[in-house]
Amino acid sequence: MPEPRIWQLTAGSAALGLALAAVAVTLAGPWDSGQRTAERTRAAAPVTGGTRHAPPPAPAPPRRPAPAPSAPGVLTALSPAAPADSSVGSAAGRPADLAAVLVPLLADPGLGPLRTASVVDTATGKQLYGEGATTPMTPASTVKIATAAAALSALGPDHRIATTVTAAPDGKTVTLTGGGDPTLDANRLRALATATARALKTRGHAPVRLAYDTSLYTGPAVHPIGPNENIAPVTALMTRAGRLDDSPSGPAPRDADPARATATAFAALLTRAGVPVTGDPAPGPTPKAAPLARTHSAPLADLVERTLTHSDNDLAEALARQTALAHKLPASFDGAGKAVRAELARLGLPVAGTRFADGSGLDRDDRVSAALLTGLLTRAADPARPALRPLLTGLPVGGFTGTLADRFDTAPAGAGLVRAKTGTLTGVNTLAGTVATPDGRLLAFAFLAGRTPSPYRAQPALDRLSAALAGQDLP
């Protein structure tokens, strides 16, 4: 049976709904259209996303306008809530009416026999609708919301991940030390080599041998799903998440040893910068000395947004391990899971029955509840918790960005108004995020479905559920 519903959900006028959609799209954020990563391959979904259609015979206007920067303002506008008992006379204006709208949509056969739901008013924290809301379910990639929240809470949004180079006391060996930054790219690696060469020339040391240190991470490097195009070996040193092609996100061929590949590339760059490297790079410990040079990732807030927008598995695992390090736990799958759970408990969230077997959601042993996800989103909307705000600004925008770029065709009322993290494994489909209602409220929702027959049926059903919360008529 549905849990108690508290306040009145309003539909508003069509004109107001369109206005809100325009505002949400305008403030959607500077993210490009993305494609599913682990989710798409695991669900055997088609390779789509962004614009991949043959050009029409004659020029035609785009189906939807492109999103424009920038995200933060939409949250400022939506955080003040209307009084909890206000109503505009909508057909979905009372708790019972909200149940009447959602219950038939939850009964869609495309969602399979296992389904849970939670809808919360972010301004009051009150649950407006619940169906098995506290039941732990396999979340797929919606677990990235929990992973990102734990990292932001433990480290703060300004934290940056460092990659360093340190010289041995005799100056004959330098060590490239990974800090766990999967976003290290060729340009930053080149700049790091240039700075290292400059420092070595000042000291008069050349040539050198190169070692590389990945000891920050412990335990198995290969995810339990095995070698996979959706995730590289989880190591503290890598360039572009071990990708062997030019893709910025999504499935891609991966290097089997991204740390060695990065060290080999660094050695070539160091030689090109005027410091010859003798022999092949080899694993070795970091000397106890001040680094010669270092490079930093973007701030954690940016990494979280990228993780959520593009469902980046490699970044999610890095965020989980950074949380483990903050808790002084081993930076392994097991240590990261314990740290994420402990950090969420510290935030006062319902963690009973939860399990974080990984940070990305690829592991089917992950368990979270719909109530936990809406609790996280509600805290992120709290003006008193600005550090968690990237949880909201990083969510893909329905019909426009990231893993929602090609969604909401069957639920256009949610396009531009729904911002949500997707989750897809074979037989598992989930959606958790926020939606703006016509009267200016911000709702957090989570819909988790298990034993689903097909992503092609489950995903449109989830889109219709979230679009219904926008107070618009369903197609």
Side-chain angles (χ1 to χ4, degrees):
M1 292 294 293
E3 299 174 12
R5 281 77 62 187
I6 308 300
W7 61 285
Q8 302 172 344
L9 182 67
T10 62
S13 68
L16 181 55
L18 290 172
L20 278 172
V23 171
V25 170
T26 302
L27 300 175
W31 306 286
D32 297 329
S33 295
Q35 58 183 359
R36 290 181 181 80
T37 55
E39 303 175 353
R40 182 179 58 204
T41 297
R42 298 283 289 182
V47 182
T48 59
T51 303
R52 288 178 174 80
H53 306 289
R63 182 170 60 90
R64 296 188 183 100
S70 57
V74 78
L75 300 170
T76 303
L78 291 173
S79 57
D85 61 352
S86 68
S87 174
V88 189
S90 163
R94 296 180 297 278
D97 293 327
L98 180 56
V101 170
L102 296 182
V103 169
L105 294 173
L106 277 168
D108 190 311
L111 294 176
L114 305 176
R115 59 200 81 168
T116 64
S118 176
V119 181
V120 172
D121 180 353
T122 63
T124 65
K126 292 181 179 180
Q127 182 172 278
L128 310 179
Y129 178 82
E131 186 70 41
T134 60
T135 301
M137 296 273 286
T138 301
S141 276
T142 53
V143 82
K144 291 182 174 75
I145 295 174
T147 302
L152 287 169
S153 177
L155 296 159
D158 297 325
H159 176 75
R160 294 173 183 257
I161 305 172
T163 304
T164 61
V165 180
T166 309
D170 63 6
K172 295 180 180 179
T173 301
V174 293
T175 303
L176 176 64
T177 305
D181 175 16
T183 68
L184 181 65
D185 61 19
N187 289 334
R188 286 172 53 210
L189 195 66
R190 184 179 300 107
L192 183 64
T194 300
T196 300
R198 186 183 305 115
L200 287 171
K201 290 175 182 177
T202 300
R203 296 185 178 196
H205 294 305
V208 296
R209 294 189 64 84
L210 178 65
Y212 60 96
D213 186 353
T214 62
S215 63
L216 187 67
Y217 285 3
T218 61
V222 177
H223 191 281
I225 66 171
N228 196 282
E229 289 192 344
N230 294 299
I231 187 168
V234 185
T235 177
L237 178 65
M238 60 172 64
T239 307
R240 295 187 63 253
R243 292 175 179 273
L244 296 176
D245 61 15
D246 294 330
S247 63
S249 63
R254 307 298 182 111
D255 198 300
D257 191 349
R260 179 181 293 276
T262 298
T264 300
F266 184 76
L269 291 168
L270 201 56
T271 299
R272 193 176 305 166
V275 177
V277 176
T278 60
D280 294 327
T286 302
K288 296 185 182 299
L292 291 176
R294 69 180 72 218
T295 182
H296 291 91
S297 71
L300 193 64
D302 294 348
L303 301 184
V304 163
E305 288 186 336
R306 175 170 166 175
T307 299
L308 298 177
T309 299
H310 298 292
S311 199
D312 192 308
N313 298 308
D314 305 282
L315 256 177
E317 297 299 346
L319 295 178
R321 279 160 175 72
Q322 292 296 312
T323 304
L325 294 170
H327 279 255
K328 302 188 185 306
L329 289 170
S332 61
F333 284 107
D334 184 60
K338 291 177 179 176
V340 169
R341 193 178 194 277
E343 191 63 32
L344 299 187
R346 193 181 70 81
L347 287 171
L349 289 155
V351 295
T354 60
R355 182 183 178 189
F356 300 99
D358 67 1
S360 59
L362 286 170
D363 199 312
R364 290 176 176 275
D365 288 336
D366 289 327
R367 293 290 184 274
V368 303
S369 67
L372 173 63
L373 294 174
T374 52
L376 283 165
L377 295 166
T378 297
R379 279 162 175 74
D382 184 351
R385 298 180 186 269
L388 297 181
R389 198 56 58 85
L391 291 183
L392 302 189
T393 56
L395 293 173
V397 180
F400 289 92
T401 62
T403 55
L404 286 183
D406 58 351
R407 297 271 290 264
F408 287 87
D409 286 342
T410 63
L417 294 179
V418 173
R419 303 187 66 145
K421 181 69 197 77
T422 55
T424 312
L425 297 173
T426 302
V428 176
N429 294 91
T430 59
L431 193 67
T434 63
V435 61
T437 65
D439 62 350
R441 296 172 185 275
L442 188 68
L443 306 185
F445 66 85
F447 302 117
L448 311 180
R451 291 166 54 188
T452 55
S454 161
Y456 313 119
R457 296 176 62 190
Q459 289 173 353
L462 292 171
D463 295 349
R464 287 190 288 269
L465 273 164
S466 58
L469 295 174
Q472 306 293 327
D473 294 332
L474 296 176

